[in-house]
Amino acid sequence: MTKHVHPVMSIQDIIASLESWGMPVEEERLLRPTPEFVENVLCRCLTQVTGISREQLVEPAQDALSVSTIDEKDIYTSALTHNLLLYHLCRFADAARIDDFSAIDLLKPTKDRVILLLSAFINFVKFTEQLCEEAVRKLSAHSEAILTERDQAAKDLHEVEGKIRQLKAKIAEDEPLCEELRAKNNALGLQMMQKKGQQEREQTEFAKLKEEKRELSERKKSIIMEIDAVSDANRRIRGRIVQSPERVKRSISTMSTSTFEYKKTVAANEMKARDLQAKINALIIVEQDLCSCVDQLQVVEKETKSLQELQVDLAELKDQLDDKKIERNELRLKQERVTRQLDNAHAKLTLTQQRAADKKAANDRVIKQLQMEYDEMDVERKENELQLAEVRNEADEVEEKMSEHLKAGEEELKSLLAEYWKLRHATHFYMETLANQLNMKVER
C-alpha cells in the first residue's frame, strides 16, 4: 500500500493554485477528468518546477529518430515524445513521494486519483518554490559577483598587457645599452684578469726588492757599526802609538785608501738605495693603479648584479606574461563557448518562433473551424431555444392542468375524508350502542 506524505487538497484549493500559475480550470473538468486535461495539468506542474514542457521534448525525439532508418518518423515522434514526457513525470512523481504513478494515470484518469496526484504535485511545487527562493537569490548574487569579477579581471588583464607592452618596449630600447654594457663588462673582465696577473708579478718583484732593501739596510748598519768600531780602535791605537811622521803618513795613506773605498761603497749603496726608492715609488703607483682597478671591478660587479637582477625581473615578467596569456586564452575559450551557446540559443529561439508561428497558424485554422462549428451550433442553439420555448409552453400548460387536477383531487380528497370521518363516527356510535345492548366492553 502506497503511503502519501502530502495532504489531499480540496477542489477549490487546486483550482486556485492552478489559476495562480495562469491555468484556469473548471470544477467540472476535475470531477470528470479526461486524459488530455490530466496530461496538460501535470505538464504544467512539471514545467513550473523543472522548466521542461512537452514542446521542448519534441526536438530531442526528432533528433533521436533522425539517426535511425525507421520510415514514417512522424508516427513515432509522438510516441517517443509521450514516453519522454512519461519518464519526466515519473521522476517528478517520485520526487513528490508518489511511488505508484504510471501511464494508467494519464490514459485512464479517475477523479480521486487526479485529485490525489494534483495535491501531491502542487504541494511539492510550493515546497520547492519556498525552498529554492533563498538559493536562487544567493545564486543570482553569486552570478553578479562573478560577472563583476570577470569584468575586473578583464580590466586588470588589459592593464597588465599594457604594462607588458611598455616593459617590452623599454627592454627593446635598453637592449643596445645592455649589449654595450655586456661588451664593456667582458672587456673589463679581461683587463681585470690581465691587471691581476701583472699585480701578482709586481707584488712578487716588490717582495724581492723589499727583501733586498732589508738586506742592504742590515748590511749598512753592520758597516756603520764596523766603522764605529774601527774608529774607536783607531782612537785607542792613536793614543798608544808614538807619534812618528812616517807612520802617520803610512797610516794616513792606508786610511785614505780605506776611506776612499768606504766612500765608494757608500756611494754605491746610496745609488742602490735611490734605485730601490724609485722602484718603491713605482710599486706605490702600481698599487694605486691596482686599487683603482679593484674599485672599477667592484663597480662592474655592482652593475653586473643589477643587470642580473634586471634579468631575473625580466624572467619573472615573462612568466607573468605567459600566465596572463594562458588566462587570456582561457577567457577567449570561455567567450567562444558562451558565443556558441548564444548562437545555439538563437537558433533554438528561431526554431521555437517558427514552430510557434506554425502552431499559431494551425491554431488559427482550428479557431476558424471552431468558429464555423460555433456558428452552426449557435444556429442549432437558437432552434433548440425555440423548441425549448415550445416545450416550456407545453410544460406550463401541463403544469396548469396538473395544478387544476391537483386542486380537484384535493377537493375530492377533502370530501372523501369528510365522508370517512362521518362514517367512522357513525361506526363508533353504532359499536357503542351495540355494546351497550349486548353488555360488552369496547376497547379503543
Side-chain angles (χ1 to χ4, degrees):
M1 184 176 180
T2 304
K3 184 179 179 180
H4 302 285
V5 297
H6 296 290
V8 178
M9 300 172 63
S10 64
I11 294 177
Q12 299 301 325
D13 292 336
I14 293 173
I15 292 173
S17 298
L18 294 177
E19 286 180 351
S20 65
W21 298 340
M23 187 177 181
V25 176
E26 298 177 357
E27 184 177 354
E28 185 68 21
R29 304 291 297 275
L30 292 173
L31 295 176
R32 295 179 178 82
T34 60
E36 294 80 5
F37 169 73
V38 174
E39 182 176 339
N40 291 332
V41 174
L42 297 183
C43 287
R44 188 55 181 269
C45 295
L46 179 65
T47 304
Q48 194 70 20
V49 175
T50 62
I52 299 174
S53 62
R54 184 182 180 87
E55 290 76 12
Q56 293 177 347
L57 298 175
V58 175
E59 185 177 355
Q62 292 177 349
D63 295 337
L65 292 173
S66 62
V67 297
S68 64
T69 57
I70 300 174
D71 296 331
E72 297 180 358
K73 297 178 181 179
D74 294 336
I75 299 175
Y76 294 97
T77 300
S78 177
L80 184 57
T81 304
H82 187 271
N83 287 333
L84 292 174
L85 179 62
L86 180 62
Y87 170 72
H88 288 292
L89 287 175
C90 289
R91 292 177 62 243
F92 184 34
D94 186 57
R97 303 295 180 86
I98 300 175
D99 301 330
D100 55 350
F101 182 82
S102 62
I104 298 175
D105 294 321
L106 298 177
L107 299 176
K108 294 182 179 180
T110 60
K111 182 189 74 171
D112 296 335
R113 185 65 178 174
V114 169
I115 292 174
L116 179 64
L117 292 175
L118 289 177
S119 298
F121 285 1
I122 291 171
N123 283 314
F124 180 73
V125 171
K126 291 183 178 180
F127 172 73
T128 53
E129 288 177 351
Q130 293 174 359
L131 184 64
C132 297
E133 184 177 0
E134 183 67 23
V136 170
R137 185 164 60 252
K138 289 182 180 179
L139 288 174
S140 300
H142 184 61
S143 177
E144 292 176 358
I146 288 175
L147 291 175
T148 306
E149 186 177 354
R150 186 188 68 180
D151 296 336
Q152 185 66 32
K155 189 184 296 182
D156 294 340
L157 177 62
H158 182 69
E159 292 178 358
V160 170
E161 287 178 350
K163 291 181 180 178
I164 290 171
R165 286 194 295 270
Q166 292 177 0
L167 290 173
K168 282 185 176 179
K170 188 175 180 181
I171 290 169
E173 184 180 354
D174 294 340
E175 187 64 27
L177 180 61
C178 292
E179 292 293 334
E180 185 178 355
L181 289 174
R182 290 193 193 98
K184 287 182 179 180
N185 187 17
N186 295 328
L188 288 173
L190 294 174
Q191 187 178 358
M192 182 182 68
M193 296 300 293
Q194 294 174 1
K195 292 288 184 182
K196 193 173 181 181
Q198 186 179 356
Q199 181 186 9
E200 290 177 353
R201 291 191 299 272
E202 289 179 353
Q203 283 179 353
T204 305
E205 187 178 356
F206 178 73
K208 290 180 180 180
L209 291 173
K210 194 172 181 181
E211 183 66 26
E212 188 177 354
K213 179 182 176 182
R214 187 181 61 77
E215 291 176 356
L216 289 173
S217 298
E218 291 178 354
R219 187 177 177 187
K220 181 180 177 181
K221 288 180 181 179
S222 64
I223 290 171
I224 290 171
M225 291 175 65
E226 186 178 354
I227 290 171
D228 293 335
V230 170
S231 298
D232 292 337
N234 286 332
R235 282 194 298 271
R236 284 193 303 272
I237 291 169
R238 190 177 294 152
R240 290 197 303 268
I241 299 173
V242 179
Q243 296 295 327
S244 171
E246 293 296 332
R247 264 174 154 179
V248 171
K249 286 180 181 179
R250 283 196 301 273
S251 298
I252 289 170
S253 61
T254 303
M255 292 177 68
S256 297
T257 303
S258 61
T259 302
F260 179 73
E261 290 178 356
Y262 176 71
K263 286 182 179 179
K264 253 173 104 176
T265 304
V266 169
N269 289 330
E270 287 179 354
M271 188 177 293
K272 286 183 179 180
R274 284 193 297 272
D275 292 338
L276 289 172
Q277 187 65 37
K279 289 182 179 180
I280 289 169
N281 293 330
L283 287 173
I284 291 171
I285 294 170
V286 170
E287 187 176 2
Q288 291 176 355
D289 292 337
L290 287 174
C291 290
S292 64
C293 289
V294 171
D295 294 335
Q296 289 180 359
L297 286 173
Q298 291 177 354
V299 173
V300 169
E301 287 178 358
K302 289 181 180 179
E303 293 294 332
T304 304
K305 287 181 180 179
S306 63
L307 181 61
Q308 289 176 355
E309 291 176 356
L310 288 174
Q311 288 177 351
V312 171
D313 294 336
L314 178 62
E316 291 178 355
L317 287 174
K318 286 182 179 179
D319 294 336
Q320 292 178 2
L321 178 61
D322 294 335
D323 294 337
K324 294 298 180 182
K325 284 182 179 178
I326 293 170
E327 291 179 2
R328 185 181 64 183
N329 293 330
E330 291 177 355
L331 292 173
R332 186 179 292 114
L333 291 173
K334 288 182 180 178
Q335 184 179 5
E336 290 176 357
R337 285 198 297 270
V338 171
T339 305
R340 286 196 298 270
Q341 291 176 359
L342 182 61
D343 294 336
N344 293 331
H346 282 307
K348 288 183 179 179
L349 179 61
T350 305
L351 183 61
T352 304
Q353 289 177 349
Q354 182 66 32
R355 290 178 179 172
D358 297 339
K359 191 172 182 181
K360 185 178 179 182
N363 290 333
D364 291 337
R365 291 193 296 272
V366 172
I367 289 171
K368 288 181 181 179
Q369 185 177 359
L370 291 174
Q371 187 65 37
M372 294 173 62
E373 293 178 357
Y374 177 77
D375 294 336
E376 294 176 357
M377 290 174 66
D378 190 30
V379 173
E380 293 178 356
R381 183 177 60 80
K382 290 179 179 179
E383 293 178 354
N384 291 330
E385 286 180 353
L386 294 175
Q387 294 178 0
L388 183 61
E390 294 177 356
V391 171
R392 283 177 180 173
N393 292 329
E394 291 178 358
D396 293 336
E397 293 177 356
V398 170
E399 286 180 355
E400 289 179 357
K401 292 180 180 180
M402 285 177 65
S403 61
E404 292 177 357
H405 182 71
L406 286 173
K407 288 179 181 179
E410 287 177 356
E411 291 178 356
E412 186 177 357
L413 183 59
K414 287 179 181 179
S415 62
L416 289 173
L417 286 172
E419 292 293 332
Y420 170 74
W421 286 111
K422 287 179 182 180
L423 181 61
R424 187 173 180 179
H425 180 67
T427 303
H428 280 291
F429 179 74
Y430 176 74
M431 291 292 292
E432 288 177 356
T433 305
L434 184 61
N436 290 330
Q437 293 292 330
L438 296 175
N439 293 323
M440 295 176 63
K441 187 177 180 181
V442 181
E443 294 181 358
R444 294 186 181 179

